[in-house]
Amino acid sequence: MITPIGYDINEICSAVKGSWICKAKSYPLKSLSLDSRKIIHPANTIFWAIKTNQRDASKFISPLYKKGVRNFVTQSKVKANQFPGANIILVADTIDALQMLAAYHRKKHNRTHVIGITGSNGKTVVKDWLHLLLSRNFEVMKSPKSFNSQIGVALSILQIRPQHQFAIIEAGISRPGEMEKLEKMIRPDSGIFTNIGVAHDEGFKNEEQKINEKLTLFKRSTSLVYPGEQQQITKALKNKVFKNIKIFNWAKEPGNLLKIKSIRRSGSHSNISVQVHAHTFSFSIPFTDKGSIQNAINCFAELIATGTFKKDMLPSFRFLYPVSMRLEMKPGQHGCIIINDSYSNDLQSLSIALGFLKQQLKSQHTVILSDILESGLKDPELYNAVASLLREFGVDQLIGIGKNISASKALFSEISKKEFFPDTASFLSHLPQATFNNEAILVKGARKFLFEKISSALEAQVHQTVLSMNLSNLAHNINVYKSLLKPGVKIMAMVKAFAYGSGSNEIASLLQFTGVDHLAVAYVDEGVALRQSGITLPIMVMNSEADSFEQMIKNKLEPEIFSFKILSEFSSFLSRHHILAYPIHVKLDTGMHRLGFEEKDINELTGILKRNKNIRVRSVFSHLSSADDDSAQKFTLSQFNTFKKLVSKIKDSLKYQFDTHISNTSAISRHPQFNLEMVRLGIGMYGIDSNTKIKSRLRVVNQLKTTISQIKELKAGETVGYGRTSVLKKDSIIATVGIGYADGYSRILGNGKGKMLINGQLVSTVGNICMDMTMLDVTKLKSVKEGDEVTVFGNDPSIEKVAEWAETIPYEILSGISQRVKRVYFEE
Ligand SMILES: *Cc1c(COP(=O)(O)O)cnc(C)c1O
């Protein structure tokens, strides 16, 4: 996990009240890392050597120093003389120090409204839903996935940036005393207590102690939302002296600030009516289970409590999806649906998952359930409760896996079909005899039971074409380019066209974490999608049009201004909306002759830019037409010189700072003198560079794979495919694979021009490429069978090779992979 940070070492040292083991140069740092393996930009990273009872990360200081890291925090007395030029801060406790830095950061960002969430269940769902609801109108950050503990909360807080109007932070505790520490960092302005669960956690004496502890989070908050039916919370609140807190409890019963007038389930939806003072609001959610209803009302109440509620938010409730419950639903074999819940395994989450199972319109509902660990209940009590839940939700079949649930089998007498197995392996070995048919199957197990093996065994083996992205290699490639840049040169990552076909949101999130400075997209829509997925980096939009200005500004996107027409349209839009100094990027045409102001326009342009108070030039840039072509060196150089000349005219006239940039990938690797203040990195991120020396340092990111659907043995003289273009010269074995021109596999690659890799050997296409399929000649392969994996591109054949066969460039191959091809991402 890499955390962006903007402090220099002196500020960090005083924030954590540390002392110096050694001290050298101080400069603003870009990221903070706790993981020695994941350091992207050593010189700008501070490594926080966390020490716990199990391990002391200070042993990584020396190897990291060798890799170029110069800033450390530790609680072990390392020897200063071994680390010349390094800044090493000594603290009493590295975790406390991290929390002090987070608290410092929170104080600095006290204009951000922080929403703190705690409770036994639903924290993450409420966080994700609120984020979704608020992001329409505000700049909102939320803590990452399960970052709710002592270290996770600190790292989350450090992600707050000045532009965030809201930060939603989840707090989880398991022991007394922990919330006090979390509260110091989070200091929520408003709070949500989602609910209090039935099971009591190991670390607490009783429920009362647990509630009191959790309420500590809200001692300085000005509002608190909670379900009023949970009277234990009301009771605990009576004994607290929270001075300024306003309570937003909700329930059907009177005495609550929000009155639930009705909850009506219809089909797969629930319609909820809530009265707030004199007004009644109704909304519908795509769930019928109690947990989801509670989560949705908690979100609604928080919108009221923070004064952010607007009537036009109500329709959004319809689109609250169960993504964040990690309830994954996939097609299974024999017409089954597999619901996979790897979220948690306790009674509360079981009842949510059962509610979801029940919604599935299948004739039989089956549950595969492991032992429930750490419930705090004795076994008979626990499995009695499980049995009554299964009964309540009409489960037809139970498969219990684990020693404890097996020992309690007598308690499940009311379920007609049931089987028990001591462990996952013995169930899997029994699986070939088991028959599941057209049923909904909930697979729910504690982590150590490895139930993912069960779900993958039950899932339908869909033979699909998959484009996979190796994010670790992408990060590596960015590092290679960073190492080519002079310190301080900024990177604008080009993520237009769905990040060259690789998936904008996923790639942009990685880029945000690895620390690029700017993003660029082709259209406003692409930028809006990035904002909605939580990207906060500045984003330039290359093709701005007048009808998208409103979206542009709402989403803090920065237009490329390339003509007088767009300049005057945009500035009059700004002036109508009384917006001053809005950042723009001015595009100059120095020879590409696509978009941009030309030399003859410069005097008029500088005149307008200078007078216009509505805009502020953030950068001036141009694009090279032939940076990858050595034979065009002279032209490239003349483009650069023209650019410098025009820039200096604009600089003279504007009298304020802006960045300039002209380099794309090829220029970074071939013309280091063109770096200027910023570069625009595109295809190089995906391991493609025309400079072979740089190329050899890059790693492959994208792999496109498919599978063999059928194999046929054909006689000499027969033909293959549409139009009978390929006549077989000899008896042949032909494999049909699941990719065609509708997936982005060009028709040019047919009739032997293209090759794919099967079991380590390249084989050629036969006949014309079809819309969804391609035929390959596999006669020469020793072993090949239906279902075998086929590499369309990756290490071999490379994208460059496929581009060559298809008489095009790698850019077109990558960005041409159609959206119906499934994208998967992995890290190594
Ligand atoms: C796409 C694009 C780039 C990136 O080019 P690569 O060759 O992929 O690095 C840079 N600048 C502009 C204006 C672009 O459109």
Side-chain angles (χ1 to χ4, degrees):
M1 172 76 194
I2 295 156
T3 307
I5 184 173
Y7 300 114
D8 69 30
I9 193 82
N10 290 329
E11 194 166 4
I12 295 175
C13 189
S14 75
V16 305
K17 300 195 167 56
S19 57
W20 296 102
I21 292 180
C22 48
K23 184 164 182 328
K25 217 168 58 191
S26 160
Y27 50 94
L29 295 162
K30 279 200 170 161
S31 52
L32 178 155
S33 177
L34 312 183
D35 185 340
S36 62
R37 296 161 306 174
K38 292 204 171 161
I39 292 184
I40 306 279
H41 208 317
N44 287 329
T45 298
I46 180 163
F47 179 69
W48 215 274
I50 295 284
K51 185 171 190 296
T52 62
N53 292 336
Q54 289 85 36
R55 55 175 228 131
D56 181 359
S58 63
K59 66 170 182 257
F60 297 116
I61 293 180
S62 177
L64 287 174
Y65 176 82
K66 290 199 185 91
K67 283 191 185 161
V69 180
R70 288 292 175 272
N71 296 280
F72 301 92
V73 172
T74 177
Q75 65 188 84
S76 303
K77 294 205 168 66
V78 296
K79 289 211 178 70
N81 58 11
Q82 289 177 359
F83 306 103
N87 295 304
I88 307 184
I89 300 174
L90 181 70
V91 296
D93 181 298
T94 41
I95 297 179
D96 285 351
L98 185 65
Q99 297 187 334
M100 284 160 83
L101 182 64
Y104 175 78
H105 187 75
R106 168 72 177 100
K107 249 194 211 138
K108 278 202 121 171
H109 293 80
N110 58 6
R111 292 179 56 192
T112 301
H113 181 114
V114 175
I115 299 174
I117 305 179
T118 195
S120 300
N121 285 286
K123 292 190 285 291
T124 308
V125 178
V126 169
K127 176 183 75 183
D128 286 352
W129 288 359
L130 253 185
H131 181 259
L132 203 83
L133 294 163
L134 283 171
S135 301
R136 293 181 63 222
N137 302 327
F138 301 96
E139 193 82 53
V140 191
M141 72 79 72
K142 60 173 179 170
S143 49
K145 251 182 238 162
S146 50
F147 277 45
N148 64 9
S149 63
Q150 298 291 314
I151 291 178
V153 166
L155 295 179
S156 303
I157 294 283
L158 286 169
Q159 313 225 353
I160 300 178
R161 301 270 86 92
Q163 69 266 31
H164 292 134
Q165 294 164 290
F166 285 89
I168 314 177
I169 309 283
E170 182 186 332
I173 53 165
S174 51
R175 240 172 261 109
E178 289 182 340
M179 195 59 98
E180 187 82 34
K181 291 184 171 181
L182 298 186
E183 193 275 337
K184 280 204 185 107
M185 291 185 277
I186 304 174
R187 292 193 121 190
D189 298 293
S190 62
I192 305 174
F193 198 143
T194 55
N195 65 17
I196 195 86
V198 278
H200 48 91
D201 301 44
E202 306 293 4
F204 296 97
K205 281 204 297 261
N206 51 37
E207 186 173 79
E208 193 183 328
Q209 188 196 25
K210 186 169 69 173
I211 295 176
N212 276 321
E213 177 77 18
K214 293 199 171 184
L215 280 174
T216 310
L217 179 60
F218 309 116
K219 68 179 183 194
R220 287 184 269 198
S221 306
T222 51
S223 71
L224 175 63
V225 163
Y226 73 93
E229 63 182 10
Q230 301 217 297
Q231 285 155 11
Q232 317 93 299
I233 302 180
T234 310
K235 206 172 118 204
L237 271 172
K238 287 219 173 83
N239 303 325
K240 296 266 175 195
V241 272
F242 290 171
K243 283 192 212 77
N244 300 318
I245 206 161
K246 180 156 187 219
I247 301 295
F248 289 79
N249 47 3
W250 57 267
K252 287 191 171 155
E253 294 70 38
N256 289 277
L257 196 91
L258 283 74
K259 179 167 165 48
I260 307 301
K261 293 179 79 174
S262 67
I263 298 173
R264 289 202 189 88
R265 294 177 172 85
S266 85
S268 59
H269 280 71
S270 306
N271 302 314
I272 301 166
S273 273
V274 187
Q275 184 183 338
V276 190
H277 304 302
H279 304 280
T280 298
F281 301 101
S282 300
F283 53 93
S284 169
I285 60 169
F287 305 91
T288 54
D289 63 282
K290 188 160 182 266
S292 300
I293 292 171
Q294 191 174 66
N295 291 335
I297 303 178
N298 274 330
C299 290
F300 175 81
E302 182 65 14
L303 296 178
I304 298 287
T306 49
T308 52
F309 175 74
K310 292 213 183 69
K311 260 188 153 162
D312 66 1
M313 289 171 148
L314 290 172
S316 300
F317 280 84
R318 267 196 160 272
F319 302 104
L320 298 176
Y321 275 97
V323 271
S324 46
M325 290 168 62
R326 323 278 151 78
L327 272 177
E328 253 187 341
M329 190 157 70
K330 291 191 176 159
Q333 296 173 17
H334 312 295
C336 293
I337 304 176
I338 312 300
I339 299 167
N340 189 354
D341 179 9
S342 54
Y343 192 46
S344 54
N345 196 23
D346 53 45
L347 286 174
Q348 195 89 8
S349 72
L350 177 63
S351 92
I352 292 173
L354 286 170
F356 193 67
L357 177 72
K358 196 180 171 189
Q359 285 177 32
Q360 308 311 318
L361 305 169
K362 289 282 176 187
S363 53
Q364 174 159 305
H365 294 90
T366 296
V367 175
I368 303 179
L369 182 68
S370 79
D371 288 350
I372 293 179
L373 308 170
E374 293 167 18
S375 69
L377 298 176
K378 296 237 162 48
D379 271 4
E381 209 181 329
L382 170 66
Y383 291 106
N384 249 326
V386 172
S388 70
L389 276 177
L390 298 184
R391 197 170 54 232
E392 182 186 331
F393 287 94
V395 170
D396 307 291
Q397 175 170 231
L398 169 68
I399 292 166
I401 296 177
K403 297 207 168 60
N404 302 347
I405 194 168
S406 301
S408 308
K409 61 170 86 162
L411 298 172
F412 298 97
S413 58
E414 286 187 40
I415 294 180
S416 54
K417 291 164 90 176
K418 54 192 172 285
E419 276 186 280
F420 293 87
F421 299 89
D423 51 39
T424 305
S426 53
F427 170 69
L428 285 172
S429 65
H430 165 84
L431 201 53
Q433 299 113 54
T435 48
F436 297 104
N437 218 323
N438 198 30
E439 53 201 278
I441 307 173
L442 171 66
V443 180
K444 190 156 172 54
R447 207 147 284 160
K448 73 169 206 187
F449 283 88
L450 301 177
F451 269 19
E452 57 274 14
K453 290 188 178 170
I454 298 180
S455 31
S456 69
L458 295 175
E459 278 162 25
Q461 303 299 321
V462 271
H463 290 161
Q464 52 192 349
T465 303
V466 174
L467 178 65
S468 66
M469 263 59 63
N470 184 327
L471 296 177
S472 313
N473 286 356
L474 185 85
H476 166 90
N477 293 343
I478 292 170
N479 259 352
V480 169
Y481 287 100
K482 281 187 176 170
S483 76
L484 299 176
L485 300 175
K486 281 193 245 66
V489 175
K490 295 179 211 166
I491 293 182
M492 175 184 274
M494 308 306 283
V495 292
K496 63 195 182 205
F498 203 48
Y500 291 42
S502 298
S504 322
N505 297 348
E506 293 80 1
I507 300 297
S509 316
L510 178 91
L511 294 172
Q512 181 155 300
F513 273 126
T514 54
V516 307
D517 306 276
H518 221 115
L519 297 175
V521 295
Y523 294 99
V524 166
D525 291 356
E526 297 178 328
V528 173
L530 291 180
R531 286 282 180 257
Q532 281 168 354
S533 77
I535 301 295
T536 53
L537 285 173
I539 300 176
M540 176 175 92
V541 178
M542 293 194 286
N543 303 286
S544 15
E545 281 158 2
D547 61 4
S548 60
F549 289 158
E550 195 169 329
Q551 282 297 328
M552 177 99 67
I553 286 166
K554 236 176 155 177
N555 290 281
K556 298 200 169 66
L557 306 172
E558 304 168 354
E560 166 184 325
I561 298 294
F562 51 81
S563 69
F564 288 116
K565 176 169 178 283
I566 197 87
L567 176 57
S568 90
E569 285 170 351
F570 191 59
S571 36
S572 48
F573 180 89
L574 292 173
S575 100
R576 257 184 284 132
H577 291 79
H578 313 291
I579 298 169
L580 292 176
Y582 197 88
I584 62 163
H585 301 266
V586 175
K587 174 76 164 287
L588 304 179
D589 181 359
T590 55
M592 171 86 174
H593 299 330
R594 186 169 64 179
L595 295 179
F597 294 97
E598 293 168 39
E599 187 158 5
K600 65 174 168 48
D601 302 326
I602 290 299
N603 287 339
E604 189 183 346
L605 176 66
T606 47
I608 298 176
L609 294 178
K610 203 164 122 183
R611 286 193 305 274
N612 193 319
K613 297 282 175 281
N614 299 110
I615 54 172
R616 187 177 171 98
V617 176
R618 183 161 188 164
S619 85
V620 175
F621 73 108
S622 186
H623 196 41
L624 299 168
S625 66
S626 318
D628 58 346
D629 183 357
D630 282 341
S631 67
Q633 283 265 20
K634 231 175 108 196
F635 184 73
T636 304
L637 217 69
S638 79
Q639 275 201 282
F640 183 64
N641 288 334
T642 308
F643 181 62
K644 288 228 302 211
K645 190 168 80 191
L646 304 187
V647 161
S648 92
K649 284 191 179 170
I650 303 177
K651 274 210 171 118
D652 286 348
S653 139
L654 279 194
K655 309 234 167 8
Y656 60 75
Q657 286 291 318
F658 52 84
D659 292 337
T660 60
H661 43 110
I662 194 166
S663 294
N664 63 344
T665 299
S666 292
I668 299 171
S669 59
R670 287 163 181 266
H671 302 283
Q673 76 277 22
F674 293 1
N675 279 187
L676 305 174
E677 286 90 11
M678 184 145 80
V679 294
R680 299 188 305 273
L681 181 61
I683 195 115
M685 293 189 280
Y686 307 99
I688 293 165
D689 195 308
S690 57
N691 176 335
T692 48
K693 219 167 118 200
I694 306 296
K695 162 82 192 169
S696 69
R697 292 172 61 191
L698 300 175
R699 295 183 186 156
V700 170
V701 173
N702 309 73
Q703 275 201 316
L704 180 62
K705 289 188 170 172
T706 184
T707 50
I708 299 180
S709 320
Q710 195 173 30
I711 293 179
K712 290 178 190 293
E713 296 185 16
L714 301 177
K715 292 272 178 271
E718 294 198 78
T719 60
V720 179
Y722 283 118
R724 309 188 64 194
T725 48
S726 278
V727 184
L728 297 176
K729 293 202 181 67
K730 53 179 179 75
D731 294 357
S732 305
I733 303 173
I734 303 298
T736 301
V737 300
I739 183 170
Y741 59 78
D743 300 295
Y745 197 70
S746 167
R747 264 186 102 245
I748 300 179
L749 292 159
N751 299 300
K753 285 188 81 179
K755 295 181 175 57
M756 299 185 194
L757 190 82
I758 303 178
N759 299 330
Q761 286 205 55
L762 284 176
V763 294
S764 302
T765 57
V766 221
N768 281 323
I769 309 292
C770 309
M771 191 183 282
D772 317 300
M773 282 171 271
T774 294
M775 280 70 87
L776 299 170
D777 184 345
V778 296
T779 315
K780 68 171 181 186
L781 295 188
K782 284 208 183 63
S783 85
V784 61
K785 57 181 189 311
E786 292 175 358
D788 276 1
E789 186 179 271
V790 180
T791 304
V792 182
F793 61 66
N795 285 307
D796 185 23
S798 62
I799 296 178
E800 291 96 325
K801 201 83 218 164
V802 176
E804 199 184 306
W805 294 330
E807 296 163 36
T808 179
I809 50 175
Y811 299 78
E812 188 180 353
I813 300 290
L814 262 182
S815 60
I817 304 303
S818 70
Q819 289 303 308
R820 78 171 185 189
V821 173
K822 183 174 167 187
R823 265 80 173 163
V824 300
Y825 301 85
F826 62 95
E827 276 192 66
E828 280 167 344

